[in-house]
Amino acid sequence: MYVLYEDSGNFKAEKVFSESDSTMQVESASGKRSKIKRAVVLFSFEQPAPAEMLQQAQALADTLDVDFLWECAPQDEFAAEVFAEEYFGHPPTAVEKAGLIFALNSAPAYFHRRGKGRYRPAPPEILKAALAAIEKKRKQAEQQQQWTDELVAGRLPEPLAAVASTFLIKPDKNTLEWKAFEAAVQQRQTSPEKLLLECGAWPNALALHQHRFFSTHFPKGSEHPPITATNLGDDLPMAEVTAYSVDDTSTIEVDDAMSVTPMGNDVVRIGIHIAAPGLAIARDNDFDRMARERMSTVYIPGLKIPMLPRELITAFSLDAGQVRPCLSLYVTANLATGELLAEETRLERIKIQENLRHNTLDALVTEEALNNPDAELPYSEWLRPLWRFAQHLSAQRDVVRGKPENNNRVEYSFELDGPFDDPQTPVRLVPRRRNAPLDRLVAEYMILTNNLWGGLLAKHGVPGIYRSQQTGKVRMSTHALPHEAIGVPYYAWSTSPLRRYVDLVNQWQIMAAAEHGISARLVAPFKPKDADLFAIIGSFDSQYSAWGDFQSSMERYWCMRWLQQQNMHTVQGTVIRDDLVRLDCAPFVTRVPALPSLERGQVVTLDILGYDELALELECRLREAAAA
């Protein structure tokens, strides 16, 4: 004896091996035995054999007209076996019973299942709605397949072009457009970015990179709404100093300037003057919300997206000839011994004498000229005292570090002679060695300021945001811990409040500590254990990393464009490790497939085979390696 039964939505026919009151043991054609419940058995039969019966029943079901079945079926709930006898006009065979069951089961819009072998025909209005839904789904499937076929062929259908901009950011995965696109990606065995680029959703890889970044981080545009800057510190005392700033030519947010006042006997009073936007930006006001939303200025070749509105930058940037409020750190130093004799922090106004630029001074300000009092040196009365004390500061840090700093790496500025969003824009790579005297000089005083102001906060118990390094790991926290790599006991970013939100927060705290001393912890914007400081650290780290990643990506892109514009087919590089090579002519690190085992620092010559501007990878191979 054989039985037809249902198993997980499928119909099976097998031979009965044994049975009990509630269960049966059945055996398949392959000899596999399994235990089933009697409750799942639809009917038993003697012939034909199970496999043949299933085959013939399915063939019969395919010939049955579902519409006709629905018209013939009883209007109430019915048993399939009873209906089979009425339909065929005689006691049905096993094939006929099974065929009818298969037909009823395959048309859920027409027949609603009511239990084992029992069905109820759908009411006319419900059937009409169900058939309309099925037809709609069929047409959608056809439309989806048509779009997928076009994408696979390299064409972008107009309906998909209208929403293609969402596919890489926040796709609506329930839409036909996305499903067609996803199917095409799978069929082409490619990435979504490559498929969109090949189909012309964006004119070039640069447009795609920029779209993805700006759509994610600046969906409403990168311009701040117009604002009016107030509370510019007009009532602050005026400092009688001659202050200069030193920056790149592209700098519009001049955060810092320095002054030197001789005191006699090799003693000078050095002022480090930091722009004070914290006078107009208060915790939780509108300006603060604007700054906190961005956390930092975004830098990419050819474009800068400021953290603050331009009106605030204009009001507080230390521009030449302007009187500006500053948070000033004054240190009294002995240039002969390097001893720091006194320090003072105060809020005041200063007039900036001049904004000096690296591109005009770097070639003139050499170590030889700085160290030789008889050598010609521009701004010598300002530069030489700063340089002498900076040398002491550097040496003192080296003692703490246990070794001198290695700052010989060449850095590059990217200068675009045209729009930043046009790949044909000529790009120039302008090299500058990090250990240039002006760079080292400015860096020492920024380190000194971040160190002393971090100590000021710690001394008065005023919470701040510190940047520390211990056991090689750099982290930001509210704990005043050492920065081992720099060689200072405290390090709180506070010298770039126009460009970094952490510096702005620390400026509020420093101003409170300078004015109120030990009682500052009670009046500072952030009190001890303020949970919002921890939230700021988390948000800043995340946002700062996102900005840095995009800057790195765009610099890699423009390096590749520069190599192409220079028509370079062969380049030299230096092995970093394994198959990583740093190019000598550009700030670009690339992998070289099948690179043999070479020593670190070994010079190699590479052939450039191609450029993947989407993956930002250089395709190259080893031509030759210099002797180790």
Side-chain angles (χ1 to χ4, degrees):
M1 182 176 69
Y2 310 112
V3 290
L4 178 71
Y5 67 96
E6 193 171 359
D7 180 25
S8 301
N10 297 316
F11 294 108
K12 293 183 179 180
E14 293 180 347
K15 180 181 179 182
V16 177
F17 184 76
S18 66
E19 56 184 309
S20 65
D21 291 342
S22 60
T23 63
M24 287 184 174
Q25 193 172 31
V26 294
E27 184 179 70
S28 67
S30 64
K32 180 182 177 181
R33 295 178 183 177
S34 54
K35 189 176 183 180
I36 64 173
K37 294 181 179 180
R38 280 187 177 273
V40 301
V41 175
L42 294 167
F43 62 84
S44 60
F45 61 97
E46 298 292 338
Q47 60 178 356
E52 184 181 351
M53 194 279 286
L54 289 175
Q55 183 179 5
Q56 292 178 8
Q58 187 58 56
L60 173 62
D62 293 340
T63 66
L64 298 180
D65 186 330
V66 177
D67 285 297
F68 184 66
L69 285 175
W70 181 80
E71 292 176 1
C72 296
Q75 293 303 300
D76 295 322
E77 183 180 319
F78 61 88
E81 286 191 68
V82 175
F83 180 42
E85 185 169 351
E86 295 176 1
Y87 182 81
F88 291 108
H90 58 261
T93 66
V95 170
E96 290 172 334
K97 284 193 287 186
L100 184 66
I101 290 173
F102 292 174
L104 296 174
N105 207 68
S106 67
Y110 287 84
F111 299 98
H112 300 165
R113 294 191 62 177
R114 308 300 289 178
K116 183 183 71 172
R118 299 188 66 81
Y119 299 86
R120 181 173 183 167
E125 64 278 5
I126 294 179
L127 176 61
K128 183 179 180 181
L131 293 178
I134 292 172
E135 178 62 14
K136 180 181 178 182
K137 192 172 182 179
R138 183 190 66 78
K139 290 182 177 179
Q140 288 177 338
E142 288 181 355
Q143 179 65 81
Q144 179 181 322
Q145 186 59 50
Q146 180 184 343
W147 286 341
T148 297
D149 292 342
E150 287 194 58
L151 288 167
V152 170
R155 298 185 299 272
L156 185 64
E158 187 173 335
L160 271 68
V163 295
S165 60
T166 68
F167 287 167
L168 301 182
I169 311 300
K170 293 181 178 179
D172 184 348
K173 297 187 177 182
N174 293 319
T175 63
L176 290 180
E177 290 83 356
W178 168 259
K179 292 175 181 177
F181 174 70
E182 187 178 39
V185 169
Q186 293 173 353
Q187 288 187 37
R188 288 281 295 269
Q189 295 185 334
T190 185
S191 68
E193 292 85 354
K194 281 188 176 181
L195 180 59
L196 287 169
L197 201 59
E198 290 170 3
C199 291
W202 286 276
N204 49 64
L206 177 60
L208 190 151
H209 288 305
Q210 293 182 348
H211 160 78
R212 184 162 45 191
F213 175 78
F214 284 101
S215 296
T216 301
H217 299 287
F218 299 96
K220 297 180 180 179
S222 59
E223 289 296 324
H224 284 293
I227 59 101
T228 301
T230 58
N231 190 12
L232 304 184
D234 293 339
D235 57 341
L236 295 174
M238 188 75 182
E240 298 298 327
V241 297
T242 301
Y244 299 88
S245 68
V246 182
D247 292 285
D248 293 324
T249 53
S250 61
T251 300
I252 60 170
E253 307 140 309
V254 182
D255 282 295
D256 57 88
M258 291 180 287
S259 64
V260 177
T261 304
M263 309 290 286
N265 297 323
D266 258 351
V267 174
V268 296
R269 192 167 187 243
I270 296 172
I272 302 98
H273 311 283
I274 306 301
L279 291 172
I281 306 171
R283 182 179 178 181
D284 294 330
N285 72 2
D286 289 342
F287 298 160
D288 179 37
R289 284 187 281 273
M290 290 180 186
R292 188 164 177 172
E293 185 177 350
R294 297 193 178 183
M295 286 290 177
S296 171
T297 292
V298 184
Y299 299 93
I300 60 173
L303 180 67
K304 180 186 295 185
I305 305 173
M307 176 181 75
L308 298 178
R310 296 187 183 276
E311 294 88 342
L312 274 178
I313 295 172
T314 301
F316 288 97
S317 177
L318 306 184
D319 296 333
Q322 303 298 315
V323 175
R324 292 286 187 261
C326 287
L327 184 62
S328 296
L329 171 65
Y330 288 99
V331 294
T332 304
N334 187 316
L335 298 182
T337 64
E339 185 180 1
L340 199 158
L341 304 173
E343 63 176 274
E344 179 188 8
T345 297
R346 66 188 188 200
L347 204 53
E348 61 187 9
R349 289 180 298 151
I350 65 170
K351 183 176 182 179
I352 308 302
Q353 185 71 20
E354 192 175 346
N355 296 136
L356 307 180
R357 302 297 180 180
H358 281 289
N359 64 317
T360 58
L361 280 186
D362 277 351
L364 302 175
V365 181
T366 63
E367 287 196 43
E368 293 76 15
L370 287 164
N371 293 328
N372 181 0
D374 297 323
E376 186 175 344
L377 179 71
Y379 309 98
S380 58
E381 72 287 350
W382 179 72
L383 283 170
R384 283 201 175 100
L386 289 175
W387 174 253
R388 288 182 65 188
F389 190 55
Q391 295 291 90
H392 288 296
L393 293 173
S394 178
Q396 291 163 11
R397 292 192 303 106
D398 285 348
V399 170
V400 177
R401 286 160 34 82
K403 59 182 179 181
E405 284 182 297
N406 180 17
N407 288 326
N408 276 336
R409 190 171 77 247
V410 174
E411 289 190 342
Y412 290 82
S413 298
F414 291 76
E415 296 184 3
L416 305 187
D417 296 329
F420 79 99
D421 54 358
D422 183 357
Q424 303 307 318
T425 292
V427 57
R428 287 178 286 117
L429 302 183
V430 182
R432 189 171 90 232
R433 195 168 293 278
R434 280 193 66 184
N435 69 344
L438 266 180
D439 276 326
R440 287 155 55 191
L441 183 151
V442 173
E444 283 301 334
Y445 288 102
M446 297 307 106
I447 291 171
L448 175 67
T449 304
N450 290 330
N451 172 29
L452 295 182
W453 277 347
L456 177 68
L457 294 177
K459 174 184 175 182
H460 294 307
V462 178
I465 299 176
Y466 295 85
R467 194 170 177 85
S468 62
Q469 186 201 47
Q470 293 177 298
T471 63
K473 184 176 181 180
V474 178
R475 61 190 294 262
M476 298 187 77
S477 72
T478 58
H479 300 293
L481 300 173
H483 198 301
E484 295 174 348
I486 297 178
V488 293
Y490 318 107
Y491 194 71
W493 266 350
S494 49
T495 55
S496 297
L498 293 173
R499 294 179 284 174
R500 283 193 305 243
Y501 188 71
V502 166
D503 300 55
L504 178 61
V505 169
N506 281 337
Q507 183 173 92
W508 292 333
Q509 304 297 92
I510 294 163
M511 288 193 297
E515 182 178 357
H516 299 283
I518 194 65
S519 62
R521 59 190 301 170
L522 303 177
V523 298
F526 293 91
K527 310 300 186 292
K529 298 183 180 180
D530 192 323
D532 201 26
L533 272 182
F534 298 100
I536 289 170
I537 291 171
S539 297
F540 179 84
D541 278 339
S542 174
Q543 201 84 304
Y544 201 61
S545 295
W547 295 172
D549 290 345
F550 185 59
Q551 179 180 353
S552 297
S553 295
M554 288 297 90
E555 288 181 354
R556 284 183 70 83
Y557 176 86
W558 285 108
C559 278
M560 295 173 69
R561 294 302 302 171
W562 180 82
L563 290 168
Q564 294 174 75
Q565 290 171 9
Q566 300 300 313
N567 199 28
M568 299 182 73
H569 302 287
T570 304
V571 292
Q572 281 197 331
T574 305
V575 175
I576 300 175
R577 67 175 186 277
D578 302 328
D579 60 350
L580 285 178
V581 174
R582 176 180 287 112
L583 302 191
D584 293 343
C585 60
F588 196 94
V589 173
T590 186
R591 291 192 178 277
V592 182
L595 188 71
S597 179
L598 299 173
E599 292 184 13
R600 178 183 176 87
Q602 197 163 346
V603 176
V604 294
T605 302
L606 306 176
D607 287 328
I608 298 177
L609 305 179
Y611 302 87
D612 188 339
E613 294 182 353
L614 190 56
L616 299 174
E617 295 294 341
L618 195 63
E619 300 172 36
C620 53
R621 68 184 174 199
L622 177 67
R623 170 176 282 197
E624 61 181 357

